[in-house]
Amino acid sequence: MKNLLKVLSVLPSIFLVSFAPAQVKKAASFDGKFFDKTAMIDLTDSTKEEINSYYGDIGSKTGSKLLSTLYTTLSKDNHFLNYGSGLSDVGKWYQITDRNWSISAPVDPATFKFITSGKTEGASSFYLYNMYMSDAANNDKTKAISNAVNGYSKDESLTAIDYTSYKKPNSYIQVDKEHVWAKNHGFKVTVTDNKGNTSDSFVPGAPTDLHHLVAADHNTNSAGHNDYMYGEVDHNKAKTIYSYLGDGSTEVSGWLDTSSETFEPTDEWKGDVARCLLYMATRYSNKLPNNTQAEPYLYLTDDRSYSDDSNTTFHGVQYNLSTLLSWHEQDTVSNYEIHRNNLIYKNVQNNRNPYIDHPEWARRVYDVNYIYDASKEQEPTTSGTDAPTTPSDTNTSTNTPSNTNPTTTKEKSTGIPIIDFLIEKGVPMPVIIGIVITLVVIVFILVVNGVIGSKKKKKRKPSKSKKKKNK
């Protein structure tokens, strides 16, 4: 008993050492979740349970009732980025939210710093997954680009980007902040300086909402989409639009029909575009007599009798709803979209795109002929083997960003049930090591003090004095 008490007396100090919280490094000069500089970035994807908890029970709601429910969820406690300079601006955050995780340098949340200039070491270490550029180009380091090259000077003697001299063969090689819901349709504001120069003004909110403000090829944004509607056009009569790649080459990125003011992107981006627009028409579906630039009223429809109101009311319209619903179903959700959705939710805006999480909800909200059928409801899409991929995503490794960064890779099985259980529950490895060491020390102390041991020690022979007495 005394030996056992001795063991128990040292346990508190052992536990204090082994289970003391691991010291967490703070990322220097980094705005973490909701721009808290003491927080680290979260690269993990939400589980099905977490996604279900976020939306709650929507029951059998359809149409305007479901739209209203989703608006309430999506608009709660949002935190929007700034458009301009600073650590909380859109361009900096593209290094995380729009990062091509397959070919960029790994990210360590404890030491990550935004690259603030294209003319610094590390500017060529990350690439963005740019809208309108093909999967093949985005996953080729010679063709892929990031917004770090936007400030590089033009040198027509070059055939590709020169990261050492900070030069590029033409000025078209650039990353734009693409408003998939064009700002002219609901939230554009133009300001004039004291010299008479005009420019667009952006406030945090709809103009900077990352669920539709994406990194994209500059030429396709300016010469193709611009302020036009998305839709289908006759390719033989429309103008062909091109993306400009890092190696100086070009590729077809869409078709523009100026007579109908319609732009059609290539097939592999149609679903992404549709889900951006479906989100915007849901998040900003609160119609007021006078909405604001940050909180406009946006509406998707096939009815062209609807039009944008003046900037004083901030009411905007996008057409071709039926086409967008078809694009959404034909070009299904990719793992890249899923991961981007989670990065925005966990680190920046505190809201999600419901049509990435639940693609079947698009019809429930926007199809007037939809009849609720519980059997068609699906579990939320999450990254991994059960996540849908686009038809062009033949190489799944290029569309599973959470599996290419060491910070988000799942630990392999150790073969020891208790350790595997703790890993599965998300217990940090330093804590697990502390638990194992503590258990080993406890067993060692118990053995040394005779509390546990072989059966031979417990079966002692009677002493000679006891034998005499028995006689």
Side-chain angles (χ1 to χ4, degrees):
M1 180 59 73
K2 288 182 179 180
N3 289 336
L4 181 58
L5 290 174
K6 287 181 180 180
V7 173
L8 294 175
S9 67
V10 300
L11 285 180
S13 60
I14 295 174
F15 273 84
L16 284 173
V17 173
S18 301
F19 291 99
Q23 191 171 15
V24 179
K25 295 181 180 179
K26 301 299 181 183
S29 301
F30 175 76
D31 287 348
K33 187 172 185 179
F34 311 143
F35 323 126
D36 177 1
K37 291 185 178 181
T38 66
M40 289 196 299
I41 197 166
D42 187 346
L43 298 178
T44 63
D45 287 343
S46 297
T47 64
K48 292 178 180 179
E49 292 75 19
E50 290 170 340
I51 296 173
N52 287 334
S53 176
Y54 173 77
Y55 292 108
D57 184 10
I58 66 170
S60 58
K61 295 176 183 176
T62 60
S64 60
K65 291 183 178 179
L66 179 53
L67 180 67
S68 177
T69 298
L70 290 176
Y71 164 78
T72 300
T73 300
L74 301 184
S75 61
K76 183 179 180 181
D77 299 329
N78 293 156
H79 301 262
F80 293 108
L81 293 172
N82 295 311
Y83 191 82
S85 61
L87 291 179
S88 60
D89 83 319
V90 173
K92 301 294 187 299
W93 270 94
Y94 278 164
Q95 296 177 36
I96 293 296
T97 60
D98 292 48
R99 191 183 194 88
N100 185 333
W101 299 91
S102 297
I103 63 175
S104 299
V107 169
D108 183 350
T111 58
F112 177 77
K113 294 182 181 179
F114 287 123
I115 294 172
T116 56
S117 170
K119 297 181 179 181
T120 58
E121 184 178 357
S124 59
S125 65
F126 77 98
Y127 301 85
L128 301 182
Y129 209 94
N130 290 293
M131 179 172 275
Y132 306 130
M133 288 171 54
S134 68
D135 288 344
N138 271 316
N139 286 298
D140 183 338
K141 287 186 177 182
T142 65
K143 299 177 184 294
I145 60 174
S146 75
N147 50 6
V149 306
N150 286 6
Y152 287 11
S153 59
K154 182 176 67 173
D155 184 345
E156 294 181 349
S157 67
L158 296 174
T159 58
I161 296 173
D162 185 342
Y163 288 98
T164 58
S165 64
Y166 316 119
K167 295 179 179 180
K168 55 188 178 183
N170 61 72
S171 58
Y172 294 104
I173 302 175
Q174 180 174 313
V175 176
D176 276 7
K177 300 170 183 175
E178 165 70 298
H179 290 90
V180 178
W181 189 292
K183 54 185 178 291
N184 262 354
H185 298 292
F187 48 86
K188 181 175 181 178
V189 170
T190 302
V191 295
T192 305
D193 63 19
N194 54 10
K195 295 182 180 180
N197 299 317
T198 60
S199 61
D200 291 342
S201 175
F202 303 96
V203 298
T208 65
D209 193 318
L210 285 175
H211 287 300
H212 90 114
L213 184 57
V214 301
D217 167 66
H218 163 70
N219 188 63
T220 311
N221 175 30
S222 59
H225 175 226
N226 201 354
D227 291 325
Y228 298 125
M229 302 289 179
Y230 290 97
E232 295 182 348
V233 301
D234 185 340
H235 296 184
N236 294 320
K237 297 179 180 180
K239 178 183 179 181
T240 303
I241 305 298
Y242 297 89
S243 289
Y244 284 75
L245 311 178
D247 63 353
S249 65
T250 61
E251 63 178 10
V252 175
S253 55
W255 301 266
L256 174 65
D257 182 351
T258 55
S259 63
S260 65
E261 298 185 335
T262 304
F263 174 69
E264 179 182 350
T266 54
D267 289 347
E268 60 190 283
W269 284 106
K270 288 178 177 176
D272 305 66
V273 165
R275 285 179 281 278
C276 288
L277 296 178
L278 291 167
Y279 161 84
M280 290 295 284
T282 301
R283 168 60 185 82
Y284 302 97
S285 57
N286 189 22
K287 186 176 183 179
L288 301 170
N290 287 283
N291 289 81
T292 65
Q293 185 187 20
E295 289 285 330
Y297 168 66
L298 307 180
Y299 185 60
L300 276 177
T301 182
D302 286 316
D303 188 347
R304 288 183 175 260
S305 66
Y306 286 88
S307 61
D308 300 328
D309 289 340
S310 66
N311 279 344
T312 57
T313 56
F314 294 104
H315 290 182
V317 174
Q318 289 276 353
Y319 301 138
N320 304 321
L321 171 59
S322 296
T323 298
L324 295 172
L325 288 173
S326 296
W327 287 2
H328 165 63
E329 293 168 342
Q330 293 166 7
D331 176 26
T332 55
V333 179
S334 69
N335 280 337
Y336 175 78
E337 287 180 87
I338 294 170
H339 192 50
R340 186 177 189 273
N341 189 28
N342 283 297
L343 290 170
I344 294 171
Y345 167 61
K346 290 194 170 187
N347 299 283
V348 186
Q349 291 185 189
N350 196 37
N351 72 348
R352 309 180 64 87
N353 185 333
Y355 308 108
I356 291 176
D357 292 326
H358 281 279
E360 76 278 12
W361 286 358
R363 290 284 177 185
R364 284 185 64 173
V365 174
Y366 291 103
D367 187 347
V368 295
N369 298 316
Y370 179 86
I371 299 175
Y372 177 73
D373 183 350
S375 65
K376 293 182 180 180
E377 289 303 291
Q378 304 171 13
E379 288 292 324
T381 53
T382 56
S383 61
T385 56
D386 60 339
T389 57
T390 62
S392 60
D393 296 340
T394 53
N395 184 352
T396 56
S397 65
T398 63
N399 280 287
T400 312
S402 59
N403 290 335
T404 62
N405 195 317
T407 59
T408 55
T409 302
K410 290 184 178 180
E411 297 288 342
K412 295 181 180 180
S413 173
T414 63
I416 304 174
I418 183 63
I419 295 180
D420 290 340
F421 173 78
L422 293 172
I423 292 174
E424 183 181 348
K425 292 301 180 182
V427 178
M429 186 55 67
V431 175
I432 295 176
I433 294 173
I435 292 173
V436 173
I437 293 173
T438 299
L439 292 175
V440 171
V441 171
I442 291 173
V443 171
F444 176 77
I445 293 173
L446 292 174
V447 170
V448 169
N449 287 273
V451 176
I452 60 175
S454 63
K455 294 182 179 179
K456 292 181 180 180
K457 291 184 178 181
K458 292 183 178 180
K459 294 182 179 180
R460 292 183 175 181
K461 293 182 180 181
S463 63
K464 293 183 179 180
S465 59
K466 287 184 179 180
K467 286 183 180 181
K468 289 180 181 180
K469 288 181 180 179
N470 289 337
K471 289 180 181 179

